[in-house]
Amino acid sequence: MEINQLSSLEIRFETADIIGAPFSHQILLTMQFSDKGIGVDFQIAYIDREDLSEEEILEEGFTLNDDYSWKGIIDNAWANPIKELLKKTPQKYNHKALEEEMNFLEIEVNQQSSGNPLNQNEWEYLLQELIQAIYETSQKEAPFHLEYRKIDKDKNVSNFELNLYYSKRQAEGINSIGKNAVKTITWEQANAILQQVFIGEFIPDAALKNDPKHTGKYLSVGDGYWYEFTKSLKRPNGNKGYLTELEKTFDPWVD
């Protein structure tokens, strides 16, 4: 898509039909671009909960009112990634009826009707990043923090911390045992790590609530638990080399 001047962008999103309550939701995100920042009007509404009891909603980790709206300014660091994705977006849109397992996503550029982009997965990922930027900027959520720890048989500890500041679109890596040195890491490198991490199967009931002390490899992803490789963090179905590759991903950052 050719964009000479981007003044506004609207993203409309709804979860797929097969995703039921309390997870099903709708999102409306409107953005206005200027030199001072990106003005946003954000709304998320959870739908189809009428037939669920309070207990059923709470058991899934939700509250009884998860709807959220916010108007404000997010950092202009997000302007170029948005423009770059628009450039990659084909001008031809998908007008076919969506399949049951597909989310609905539609964009409108400069108040001109557009549609469902063919590169929808990329737009869904950017939308999630923008939502995190909104949540951080509005102080609804703290910056994302991940920690990898490896304890060898001699009790030597290697540790790497990854902080993602969505409000500024910046990443920070810290070797926090021994050198305690900040390591240069790009936003793209940090996101590649996250995408690899979260295809794994996390089992909170088998995870540690306290800092690990025994030989092993562990991940903390900001939810208060330490997940041990092979025990509470397991490979996804069909990916036998997942944990080995994950260790290889982190090892360069802890040296």
Side-chain angles (χ1 to χ4, degrees):
M1 177 185 294
E2 294 184 9
I3 296 294
N4 296 321
Q5 183 67 38
L6 179 62
S7 59
S8 68
L9 174 66
E10 184 170 284
I11 304 175
R12 297 179 286 273
F13 174 88
E14 185 172 336
T15 47
D17 289 343
I18 62 171
I19 298 177
F23 300 94
S24 53
H25 60 272
Q26 298 171 329
I27 293 169
L28 177 61
L29 173 59
T30 303
M31 290 171 279
Q32 304 289 334
F33 296 83
S34 73
D35 294 337
K36 296 180 181 179
I38 304 171
V40 302
D41 185 344
F42 171 75
Q43 301 171 53
I44 182 169
Y46 287 82
I47 57 176
D48 302 327
R49 292 186 172 186
E50 298 82 4
D51 296 330
L52 295 182
S53 66
E54 293 185 2
E55 290 76 12
E56 288 174 315
I57 295 172
L58 297 174
E59 282 175 359
E60 294 292 351
F62 291 93
T63 70
L64 300 181
N65 185 14
D66 294 296
D67 295 356
Y68 185 70
S69 61
W70 185 75
K71 292 182 181 180
I73 304 289
I74 62 172
D75 199 284
N76 253 338
W78 288 102
N80 279 337
I82 292 170
K83 291 175 183 177
E84 288 302 312
L85 183 54
L86 281 168
K87 289 178 183 177
K88 291 169 56 180
T89 299
Q91 288 186 291
K92 181 181 179 181
Y93 288 89
N94 184 5
H95 296 292
K96 295 180 181 178
L98 295 179
E99 297 178 12
E100 187 181 36
E101 66 273 12
M102 289 182 63
N103 295 324
F104 168 83
L105 186 143
E106 191 173 65
I107 63 174
E108 183 177 291
V109 183
N110 293 343
Q111 296 184 328
Q112 296 179 2
S113 180
S114 299
N116 171 229
L118 295 177
N119 54 345
Q120 179 171 326
N121 289 340
E122 292 180 271
W123 278 100
E124 286 190 25
Y125 193 83
L126 178 63
L127 176 60
Q128 291 306 314
E129 289 189 307
L130 291 169
I131 291 171
Q132 284 305 122
I134 290 167
Y135 285 171
E136 277 186 33
T137 304
S138 65
Q139 299 185 336
K140 175 177 169 62
E141 292 185 5
F144 177 81
H145 177 80
L146 175 149
E147 195 165 344
Y148 169 74
R149 186 169 299 178
K150 182 165 70 171
I151 305 174
D152 66 21
K153 61 183 180 180
D154 296 321
K155 302 302 180 183
N156 296 313
V157 179
S158 301
N159 204 80
F160 174 68
E161 296 182 41
L162 177 63
N163 296 311
L164 267 71
Y165 302 99
Y166 285 86
S167 59
K168 300 180 290 185
R169 201 176 182 272
Q170 293 178 359
E172 176 186 68
I174 303 172
N175 184 330
S176 55
I177 299 291
K179 298 177 184 178
N180 199 28
V182 175
K183 295 201 166 193
T184 301
I185 183 168
T186 67
W187 186 258
E188 289 71 24
Q189 286 174 316
N191 268 276
I193 291 174
L194 290 195
Q195 289 183 54
Q196 187 179 13
V197 164
F198 285 111
I199 63 172
E201 181 184 357
F202 290 79
I203 308 171
D205 290 343
L208 301 174
K209 292 184 178 180
N210 299 314
D211 282 2
K213 296 182 172 28
H214 301 293
T215 302
K217 296 173 283 290
Y218 305 86
L219 263 184
S220 171
V221 292
D223 61 356
Y225 294 100
W226 281 96
Y227 296 90
E228 185 175 1
F229 285 36
T230 75
K231 294 183 179 179
S232 49
L233 173 57
K234 297 190 176 184
R235 65 177 178 85
N237 289 334
N239 190 339
K240 293 183 179 179
Y242 167 75
L243 293 174
T244 300
E245 290 302 314
L246 193 59
E247 183 179 1
K248 289 179 181 178
T249 296
F250 281 111
D251 279 350
W253 298 102
V254 298
D255 292 337

